[in-house]
Amino acid sequence: MSENGALIRLKDVRKAYKMPAGDFYALKGIDLAVQTGEFLAVLGKSGAGKSTLINMLTGIDRPTSGEIWVGKDAVQAMSEDQIAAWRGRNVGVVFQFFQLLPMLTCAQNVMMPMDFVGLYGGPRERRERALHLLERVGIAEHADKLPSAVSGGQRQRVAIARALANDPILLAADEPTGNLDSRTTREMFDLFGSLVDEGKTILLVTHDRDLAGRATRRVRIADGRIVETGAVHHA
């Protein structure tokens, strides 16, 4: 796929971790371009480098060397404060274990990214947007409950609503269905598909080839390298 007009561009990205026996390279020269509106599945076994790749793209972690561009922004060149502000405005992240704040209601968890970067007016406007997003993911009736009072699937819906809070250009999901039952997993993928139809760009880390078949393209990582890439052909 051409890099022309790509939303995301990785050039020779490497990530080394200091270990007692020497440097361990989790990524070994990743080159990747992702177009706007793609639904890209990143496949690979545990330890292959999938989550490290997502952490590089979202600025959660930094590469040892190489370049990471999202739009016109060079992620690797930003300071920690710049990355935090950039991520808050441009990236939504969905984690396997939800990462919701237990003392906040579902609606307050969704409002938190808006509060962080100062978007969408004041508390009333932010709550209205949070309720809209919770309705979008099908759980508006649970807005004022704590995360502990809803099911795992409902918590993941809250996490997706939170990831969408600031209308990010990129949604990154790291094994988001790993703790969900099969029916809820299908519902999550239906939701991701509808978001792609609306123009969102989604990167999904998964080990499940069947689920990856719902994406528009998939890449497979092994031992820190991309070893396979190709479009997904839907029946």
Side-chain angles (χ1 to χ4, degrees), residues 91-165:
V91 181
V93 184
V94 182
F95 301 96
Q96 178 177 354
F97 296 103
F98 320 132
Q99 306 286 11
L100 301 175
L101 292 181
M103 73 291 296
L104 299 181
T105 66
C106 294
Q108 288 169 337
N109 268 281
V110 178
M111 292 168 63
M112 188 172 58
M114 305 179 224
D115 295 337
F116 178 69
V117 298
L119 290 178
Y120 298 102
R124 179 179 296 178
E125 292 83 1
R126 292 172 189 167
R127 177 174 168 81
E128 288 177 359
R129 176 163 175 78
L131 293 176
H132 166 72
L133 289 169
L134 289 171
E135 182 176 3
R136 176 76 176 80
V137 300
I139 55 166
E141 69 273 19
H142 299 301
D144 294 317
K145 294 180 181 178
L146 294 175
S148 59
V150 301
S151 70
Q154 290 165 337
R155 284 180 226 168
Q156 193 60 291
R157 291 172 186 270
V158 176
I160 292 171
R162 180 186 59 188
L164 295 170

Side-chain angles (χ1 to χ4, degrees), residues 6-184:
L7 174 66
I8 300 167
R9 303 178 305 284
L10 281 74
K11 297 182 179 180
D12 196 24
V13 172
R14 301 171 186 268
K15 178 61 180 180
Y17 294 100
K18 299 290 184 184
M19 306 292 285
D23 288 349
F24 168 75
Y25 275 85
L27 298 178
K28 302 174 181 177
I30 298 290
D31 293 302
L32 180 66
V34 182
Q35 307 297 314
T36 298
E38 266 202 279
F39 186 178
L40 179 69
V42 181
L43 284 158
K45 296 180 180 179
S46 178
K50 307 185 305 296
S51 294
T52 303
L53 177 62
I54 288 289
N55 289 344
M56 299 296 109
L57 285 169
T58 57
I60 292 173
D61 200 355
R62 290 179 176 271
T64 301
S65 63
E67 297 181 12
I68 302 169
W69 294 82
V70 179
K72 297 180 179 179
D73 297 314
V75 179
Q76 77 283 348
M78 298 181 193
S79 68
E80 292 299 329
D81 288 345
Q82 288 171 332
I83 283 180
W86 169 82
R87 184 169 54 243
R89 290 178 177 272
N90 294 286
V91 181
V93 184
V94 182
F95 301 96
Q96 178 177 354
F97 296 103
F98 320 132
Q99 306 286 11
L100 301 175
L101 292 181
M103 73 291 296
L104 299 181
T105 66
C106 294
Q108 288 169 337
N109 268 281
V110 178
M111 292 168 63
M112 188 172 58
M114 305 179 224
D115 295 337
F116 178 69
V117 298
L119 290 178
Y120 298 102
R124 179 179 296 178
E125 292 83 1
R126 292 172 189 167
R127 177 174 168 81
E128 288 177 359
R129 176 163 175 78
L131 293 176
H132 166 72
L133 289 169
L134 289 171
E135 182 176 3
R136 176 76 176 80
V137 300
I139 55 166
E141 69 273 19
H142 299 301
D144 294 317
K145 294 180 181 178
L146 294 175
S148 59
V150 301
S151 70
Q154 290 165 337
R155 284 180 226 168
Q156 193 60 291
R157 291 172 186 270
V158 176
I160 292 171
R162 180 186 59 188
L164 295 170
N166 290 333
D167 194 24
I169 60 175
L170 170 64
L171 187 66
D174 191 354
E175 298 281 9
T177 61
N179 291 308
L180 305 180
D181 60 54
S182 58
R183 181 180 65 83
T184 307

